[in-house]
Amino acid sequence: MSEIVISTLAERPELGDRLADFEGGWPEFILHDPIGNSLLVRVYDLFPEQCLVATDGDELIGHGASIPFVFPNEHRRELPDGGWDRVLVWGMADERRGHEGNVSSALEIVIRPTHLGRGLSHLMLQAMREAVKVKGHQTLYAPVRPNAKEDAHQPMTEYVQQVRGDGLPVDAWLRVHVKAGGKVIKVAPTSMVVAGTLADWREWTGLPFDQDGDVVVPQALAPVRCSVKHNNAVYVEPNVWVRHDL
């Protein structure tokens, strides 16, 4: 294998067209978060200097994005319970109004599955910290998705308190952040919201969605609430706010 190189998208703009076809990372149902669908692609267009691409030779093996936003101010005194969705809206609203952000939030770090286990998540997070620091920001926040959480019914507030013998989180992705210097702040209980018809959910998951109540979906961090009568199912995902002081 050749050497892994991590660049900003501003340095490698020719890779921008390849991001849409990148496979790996998010489970299928998360790709139907309406806020993410409408806004995330714009982050790569508007803030390429703090978006990342990782290459191994000519192969794109990972990418990541963060967004600047204003925090705190008179309307934003605490990190939002709405987590990922809300900070994405905040950042795009600030850009539209011409308000220059003083901090940034990570939005995603996605690695091609064939390249997992090479320490790339650590390298990408460090590169993201550096890119934000170059902009003069002293803080990088992250609404982290603890994707090793297997029990959908376990409260996230309980899960984030579980640590290994060395005191680090049992969750691998939270552990990456903490080892990089991040501090767990609080749970964002409504970080992502995905709603769809029962046909949508059957297509996204391969599950029948034919009974009322909670449905446990692989890779979901909480149950999906299904209503046969209303032909609708809704997923509300909790994430975890982490703060990196740079």
Side-chain angles (χ1 to χ4, degrees):
M1 288 187 178
S2 53
E3 181 182 359
I4 294 174
V5 177
I6 300 176
S7 312
T8 67
L9 189 58
E11 296 168 327
R12 298 291 306 276
E14 74 278 6
L15 295 177
D17 291 340
R18 295 166 60 181
L19 298 177
D21 297 327
F22 191 87
E23 295 181 1
W26 301 101
E28 175 63 29
F29 59 88
I30 286 292
L31 301 179
H32 300 277
D33 174 346
I35 291 177
N37 269 345
S38 60
L39 298 180
L40 183 58
V41 67
R42 295 286 292 143
V43 174
Y44 286 89
D45 292 336
L46 293 169
F47 310 106
E49 73 283 357
Q50 57 184 95
C51 294
L52 305 173
V53 286
T55 53
D56 186 348
D58 293 330
E59 183 183 9
L60 179 65
I61 62 173
H63 64 85
S66 66
I67 189 169
F69 67 107
V70 177
F71 182 79
N73 64 16
E74 60 179 324
H75 303 295
R76 305 171 183 171
R77 301 190 181 279
E78 297 184 7
L79 292 170
D81 287 346
W84 193 92
D85 280 352
R86 181 51 51 188
V87 79
L88 180 51
V89 169
W90 280 1
M92 295 302 291
D94 288 340
E95 192 280 333
R96 187 175 65 253
R97 294 166 182 160
H99 298 165
E100 184 174 356
N102 62 312
V103 299
S104 285
S105 176
L107 292 174
E108 66 173 353
I109 291 177
V110 184
I111 298 169
R112 195 177 296 280
T114 52
H115 290 268
L116 293 173
R118 300 181 65 187
L120 187 52
S121 58
H122 297 269
L123 297 174
M124 291 284 283
L125 179 57
Q126 184 58 40
M128 185 174 288
R129 285 166 53 103
E130 290 299 320
V132 167
K133 193 174 180 179
V134 166
K135 292 196 69 169
H137 295 179
Q138 297 182 353
T139 307
L140 172 69
Y141 293 99
V144 176
R145 184 176 199 269
N147 52 21
K149 183 178 182 291
E150 296 181 348
D151 182 358
H153 293 285
Q154 181 184 25
M156 185 64 79
T157 50
E158 179 182 298
Y159 180 72
V160 297
Q161 296 179 24
Q162 295 181 341
V163 296
R164 309 187 309 182
D166 58 5
L168 292 171
V170 296
D171 185 85
W173 195 212
L174 279 175
R175 195 160 60 246
V176 168
H177 280 267
V178 172
K179 290 176 74 172
K183 180 180 179 180
V184 174
I185 302 300
K186 67 174 188 176
V187 169
T190 58
S191 192
M192 291 183 173
V193 179
V194 180
T197 66
L198 301 188
D200 288 334
W201 280 97
R202 290 170 188 139
E203 179 181 351
W204 300 338
T205 67
L207 299 176
F209 276 89
D210 56 1
Q211 295 184 8
D212 289 331
D214 289 344
V215 179
V216 175
V217 170
Q219 300 186 70
L221 306 186
V224 179
R225 180 57 58 91
C226 174
S227 171
V228 174
K229 176 181 178 180
H230 295 99
N231 187 32
N232 181 263
V234 179
Y235 173 64
V236 180
E237 175 167 293
N239 289 168
V240 180
W241 276 114
V242 175
R243 185 185 71 228
H244 292 263
D245 294 321
L246 308 177

